[in-house]
Every structure is written in C-alpha cells, then in structure tokens.
Amino acid sequence: MKAIEYRLPKEFDKSFIVFNEKGSHFPCPWHYHPEFEFVLVNRSTGKRMVGDHIGHFEAGDLVLMGPDLPHVWVNDNKYLERKNMDAADATVIHFTPDFIGQDIFNIPEFSSLIEILTLSSRGIHIKGRESLKIADIMNNMIYESGLKRLASIFEIFDIICAMKDYKLLASPNFIANKTSINSRHSKINDYILRNYHKPLTLKEVAEEANMATTTFCNFFKEQYRMTFVEYVTQIRIGHFCKLIAEDDKSILEAAYICGFNSIANFNRQFKKIKGMSPSEFKRTVEVN
C-alpha cells in the first residue's frame, strides 16, 4: 500500500492553513505531505492509521503529526453508508516548519517546542485537559484572521510544550527518522537503527554510548519512556510494518529480516504492541 503525496492549496494572505472537513465521511486516502498537521475529530468514529499504528478514533480525538508521516482516518461503515452530509466533522491545521520565517525555531524560547515537533514525526495522540483546551482554540480559529489567528496557534504551541498526557503512535523505525534532540540520543539511535536486525545486548549499546550499564538503563528509561528491550522491539516491529505495507513481503520473511529469530515470540510481541496479530495487520493495510 503506497502512500500518495497530498497538497492543500495555500492562501496568499495566510501563513498556515486551518479548515473544517465536513461530509458523510473523511475523504482523504492513505497519504503524506510536507507540513505538520493537527487533526481534531469533532464528530464520527472509525479507525486511524498513523505510520504503522492502527487505533480507534471518536469525537474529541486529537493528533499532531510531523511532515511526511503517512496517515488516514477511515470512518466506520455506518458513516460510509450514510447519506447525511454532516455525519463526519473534523478541524485540521497544516503548517510548515518555516511558516513565520526561516529562523524562528532557532530562538531559545522555542527549544521545548522543537522537542515536541521532533516527537511528532511518530504522531502524537494528545489527551486529557490539554486536548479539550486545544479543541476549543482550533474550532474558534476557523472564524479568526490576522494576528488573532496567529496568536491562537502560538497558544496551542504553549499548551503542547507543557502537556504530560500524550501517547506516541508510530513505531520509532517506521520512517527511519534519525533526527534527535541531542548528540547522545543521536549516537544511541543511530547505533540501534544500524544493528536492530542483529542480536543486540544492553552492554553493547551502553558501551557505544560511553556509559555504565546501570547508568544507561536509568538514562534510557527516563528519556525514552520505555526499557531498552521494549524500544528495540518497537524498532523491529516498525520496520516489519513498513516491509508489509510497502514491499509486500510475507509475514515470515519480514519478521526474520527485522531480527526476530522466533516466530512465536514475534507473534506475541506484535500483538502486545499493536493489539492485533501480524496477519490481521497485513489484511488491514491491504484493504486500506
């Protein structure tokens, strides 16, 4: 299933795009684009695919995605079969990294925002009170213009910089994104991404990062919000999903390419992370 590149027409008097998508269903296919994107579902239910993540959406669902991350929102059948033109409703924001100037993100006040935008390369499901605040702002932005509209997106940036209740969606390796916040992260990520298909030990990666094993374990859990083993497993499963979606590999072949030597363990880990079996995932991407 190849994602298609999708572009929205830009308005000459606006630096970023805000629009309301309303109809019997959400029409966009599996696609990607060079802009960052917020998607707020106001009405409808269904499943969303972001990279190799497949999850459920309903009213109030809010996701931030980075550039070139493939995604699609697929409405439940009851909406696809319905002729009510107001059955599905979403508010969407698209903005480029340089939408208000080439150097704006280099100023010190934007450092925490850069971290969040880096994470958005995997897609961020925003939850809790922050999502409610952002939803109100986004829906009001439809009717705003000028400095008020610009102030609103900065208000959203301020909220996401401080948020705690969120979930990363796509696996770390789905798009092989090697961008990181600092050189230590970069060194660790690069080493894992070069070697995930081989047996990897904690001691080996700790030495690569020039850290004692115990120190590395604590650092990794704090920075990555998961253990080293969990992270490597997600990397492998992310690449598996990419092979299935884009290269049409068989399940067994793709699993071995990604470093899984036991198919039973692979099936167990895949279902734990994705909530479905590898064969169910393969059928889903083939249909969509």
Side-chain angles (χ1 to χ4, degrees):
M1 178 182 61
K2 292 286 186 183
I4 63 169
E5 186 172 8
Y6 183 76
R7 297 290 186 102
L8 284 176
K10 291 182 171 56
E11 300 177 65
F12 75 94
D13 60 338
K14 295 181 175 64
S15 58
F16 62 96
I17 298 169
V18 183
F19 66 97
N20 183 238
E21 184 77 72
K22 187 178 290 186
S24 59
H25 64 282
F26 299 137
C28 282
W30 177 242
H31 69 286
Y32 65 94
H33 43 72
E35 297 87 4
F36 290 91
E37 179 177 12
F38 284 98
V39 175
L40 167 67
V41 176
N42 297 311
R43 191 162 54 248
S44 191
T45 59
K47 66 173 181 286
R48 53 171 152 73
M49 297 175 62
V50 178
D52 61 341
H53 169 85
I54 299 176
H56 176 77
F57 73 81
E58 58 188 14
D61 190 73
L62 176 61
V63 174
L64 167 62
M65 293 167 289
D68 301 321
L69 177 61
H71 56 277
V72 65
W73 268 241
V74 181
N75 304 88
D76 286 333
N77 286 335
K78 63 181 180 180
Y79 293 95
L80 296 173
E81 296 164 357
R82 193 182 285 178
K83 294 184 179 180
N84 179 0
M85 290 306 295
D86 293 330
D89 185 313
T91 302
V92 180
I93 299 175
H94 280 201
F95 63 96
T96 61
D98 60 351
F99 78 104
I100 46 175
Q102 290 287 341
D103 298 321
I104 188 70
F105 288 108
N106 293 327
I107 65 175
E109 288 82 358
F110 274 73
S111 59
S112 56
L113 178 61
I114 291 169
E115 294 183 16
I116 290 295
L117 294 182
T118 299
L119 291 175
S120 75
S121 63
R122 293 173 55 189
I124 302 174
H125 182 205
I126 302 170
K127 301 185 282 185
R129 286 179 296 179
E130 289 87 354
S131 70
L132 297 176
K133 291 179 184 177
I134 294 172
D136 284 341
I137 296 168
M138 287 181 64
N139 284 324
N140 286 330
M141 286 173 75
I142 297 292
Y143 310 103
E144 294 173 351
S145 60
L147 287 176
K148 176 61 178 171
R149 186 172 177 270
L150 189 60
S152 291
I153 196 169
F154 273 82
E155 188 176 356
I156 292 173
F157 289 161
D158 185 55
I159 293 170
I160 64 175
C161 286
M163 67 182 178
K164 302 295 182 185
D165 194 3
Y166 65 87
K167 177 184 177 183
L168 300 180
L169 299 179
S171 299
N173 197 36
F174 181 78
I175 56 170
N177 179 22
K178 297 185 181 181
T179 302
S180 57
I181 297 167
N182 59 42
S183 58
R184 176 166 278 173
H185 284 78
S186 180
K187 195 170 187 178
I188 292 169
N189 284 340
D190 287 352
Y191 188 81
I192 293 173
L193 287 168
R194 286 198 312 269
N195 297 284
Y196 68 88
H197 58 287
K198 302 184 293 188
L200 265 180
T201 67
L202 191 59
K203 182 175 182 294
E204 168 188 355
V205 183
E207 287 176 352
E208 182 68 20
N210 198 25
M211 299 169 73
T213 303
T214 303
T215 305
F216 176 78
C217 282
N218 293 334
F219 168 83
F220 202 95
K221 189 79 181 283
E222 179 183 350
Q223 295 294 317
Y224 289 80
R225 295 182 158 198
M226 65 183 73
T227 66
F228 167 74
V229 172
E230 289 169 338
Y231 186 76
V232 172
T233 300
Q234 285 204 9
I235 291 271
R236 288 170 172 163
I237 285 177
H239 189 57
F240 167 87
C241 292
K242 187 172 185 178
L243 290 174
I244 291 295
E246 298 183 1
D247 295 342
D248 198 30
K249 300 285 186 186
S250 72
I251 289 174
L252 188 62
E253 182 184 8
Y256 281 119
I257 288 173
C258 296
F260 289 99
N261 296 320
S262 164
I263 196 66
N265 178 56
F266 163 70
N267 286 331
R268 188 163 53 249
Q269 295 298 331
F270 191 95
K271 188 156 191 176
K272 179 182 176 182
I273 291 173
K274 296 299 180 186
M276 63 179 70
S277 69
S279 56
E280 287 174 317
F281 178 86
K282 186 174 174 65
R283 284 196 297 272
T284 300
V285 298
E286 286 173 347
V287 167
N288 294 292

